[in-house]
């Protein structure tokens, strides 16, 4: 199960490549947001690794200057103010700042998916989205692959949602960042989730708007953690710096983080996936979790 995370979702590419190098291949894939793009690209293409690295993300807006950049540069402060006004204007007059890029984004996804349907995938794949009208998760397993991925990556306020079968579909992370149950329903005996999220940093809260935004972040992350707990193993790539959701220039850095987390969990992965692997030592950090679920530690 590959979770969202914007640009950090390229860590999934590193995870899949490292797993394949160790002889493991997924029996099924469930993707959310950027995890959906990686899942579908992997499932539809034999050349998935170079295709995903070359994916055109130019349709997305550039990331907002960081607080540190704004402190150090008048130019960056002015740029942040200009982007903020543009963001607010596009929200009030349309679907968001990325509205003009909708068709370019869909075309990039058609290139990635080779114009195929989800039914053409070499392994079963499901894409998790959010139906804004119904207020619930909506899982797509059939039909146009590019449209399914677009729906799952359509960040509110950035890209317009997708109209499909009477539903209004947006980023899957809003309804369920960790649809582990969907993965279990697809049949694999072991569910491994990859969470490229970053820890919620401390922040000053000085007004009602900041309080509302902060409370929403805390709520979303708390629900996500509860969902990830249902997986047999959660791989959490660590990044050497804070990477913005829209910082797609950092994709190779994120790929490397994904490969590192697999290398750091080789013994745990073998205990879960290789019937001939020795049991984990009792003092392994993952032993308690795995013995409760599988009896793999002694």
């Amino acid at each position: 199960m590959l979770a969202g995370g914007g640009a950090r979702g390229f860590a999934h590419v590193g995870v899949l490549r490292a797993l394949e190098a160790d002889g493991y291949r997924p029996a099924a894939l469930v993707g959310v947001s950027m995890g959906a793009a990686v899942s579908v690209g992997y499932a539809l293409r034999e050349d998935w690794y170079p295709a995903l690295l070359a994916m055109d993300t130019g349709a997305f807006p550039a990331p907002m200057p960081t607080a540190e950049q704004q402190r150090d540069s008048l130019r960056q402060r002015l740029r942040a103010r200009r982007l903020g006004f543009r963001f607010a204007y596009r929200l009030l007059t349309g679907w968001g700042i990325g509205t003009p890029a909708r068709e370019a984004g869909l075309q990039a996804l058609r290139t990635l998916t080779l114009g195929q349907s989800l039914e053409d995938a070499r392994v079963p794949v499901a894409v998790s989205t959010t139906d804004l009208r119904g207020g619930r998760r909506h899982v797509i397993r059939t039909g146009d692959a590019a449209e399914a991925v677009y729906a799952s990556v359509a960040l509110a306020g950035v890209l317009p949602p997708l109209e499909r079968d009477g539903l209004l579909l947006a980023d899957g992370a809003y309804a369920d960042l960790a649809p582990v149950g969907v993965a279990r329903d697809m049949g694999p005996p072991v569910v491994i989730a990859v969470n490229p999220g970053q820890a919620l940093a401390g922040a000053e809260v000085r007004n009602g708007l900041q309080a509302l935004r902060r409370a929403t972040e805390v709520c979303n992350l708390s629900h996500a953690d509860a969902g990830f707990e249902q997986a047999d193993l959660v791989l959490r790539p660590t990044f050497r710096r804070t990477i913005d959701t829209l910082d797609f220039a950092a994709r190779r850095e994120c790929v490397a983080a994904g490969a590192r987390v697999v290398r750091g969990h080789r013994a745990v992965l073998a205990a879960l996936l290789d019937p001939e692997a020795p049991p984990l030592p009792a003092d392994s950090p993952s032993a308690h979790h795995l013995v409760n679920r599988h009896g793999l530690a002694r």
Side-chain angles (χ1 to χ4, degrees):
M1 196 288 297
L2 307 185
R8 297 185 301 276
F10 273 97
H12 299 312
V13 178
V15 167
L16 290 169
R17 187 168 173 84
L19 286 173
E20 283 203 345
D22 287 346
Y24 304 119
R25 288 179 173 80
L29 286 163
V30 177
V32 182
S33 196
M34 191 60 196
V38 175
S39 295
V40 172
Y42 178 92
L44 286 175
R45 299 186 64 136
E46 293 291 341
D47 63 341
W48 60 273
Y49 182 73
L52 282 164
L53 280 184
M55 186 170 61
D56 182 5
T57 56
F60 285 92
M64 185 77 75
T66 65
E68 183 178 353
Q69 288 172 331
Q70 292 181 55
R71 281 195 303 269
D72 296 341
S73 168
L74 174 61
R75 181 181 177 185
Q76 292 292 358
R77 288 197 296 275
L78 293 174
R79 178 170 174 261
R81 183 171 297 182
R82 185 172 65 253
L83 289 174
F85 283 134
R86 185 184 303 169
F87 181 78
Y89 175 78
R90 290 281 174 80
L91 279 179
L92 291 171
T93 61
W95 285 113
I97 196 169
T99 299
R102 179 184 185 276
E103 290 307 315
L106 274 168
Q107 185 54 51
L109 292 172
R110 291 187 184 104
T111 299
L112 173 67
T113 61
L114 301 174
Q116 298 179 90
S117 298
L118 294 178
E119 297 96 317
D120 298 320
R122 56 198 172 106
V123 296
V125 61
V127 173
S128 187
T129 70
T130 300
D131 174 21
L132 296 178
R133 289 195 178 115
R136 59 184 179 273
R137 184 183 70 197
H138 177 70
V139 179
I140 304 175
R141 298 182 183 174
T142 61
D144 185 284
E147 286 193 355
V149 173
Y150 176 88
S152 192
V153 303
L155 285 166
V158 177
L159 289 170
L162 179 79
E163 291 266 6
R164 176 167 168 159
D165 301 328
L167 307 177
L168 190 64
L169 301 177
D171 195 303
Y174 299 129
D176 191 352
L177 183 61
V180 173
V182 176
R184 290 210 183 279
D185 289 344
M186 295 179 76
V190 174
V191 174
I192 297 172
V194 184
N195 177 14
Q198 291 182 307
L200 194 60
E204 292 294 329
V205 179
R206 297 189 178 92
N207 57 48
L209 180 60
Q210 291 176 349
L212 179 61
R213 179 177 178 180
R214 187 67 171 182
T216 301
E217 291 174 339
V218 172
C219 180
N220 288 344
L221 288 176
S222 296
H223 284 296
D225 286 343
F228 283 118
E229 281 296 316
Q230 305 308 309
D232 297 297
L233 176 66
V234 182
L235 298 177
R236 300 178 186 269
T238 55
F239 305 94
R240 291 170 177 169
R241 63 184 177 92
T242 300
I243 296 177
D244 186 89
T245 299
L246 298 173
D247 187 8
F248 292 102
R251 67 183 67 190
R252 288 188 178 274
E253 187 177 344
C254 297
V255 171
R260 282 197 305 271
V261 75
V262 170
R263 291 195 294 268
H265 286 77
R266 276 181 170 147
V268 180
L269 288 162
L272 275 172
L273 303 174
D274 185 349
E276 298 182 1
L280 287 172
D283 59 352
S284 166
S286 298
H288 178 71
H289 176 76
L290 295 184
V291 75
N292 286 344
R293 290 187 175 273
H294 302 278
L296 296 173
R298 299 288 184 268

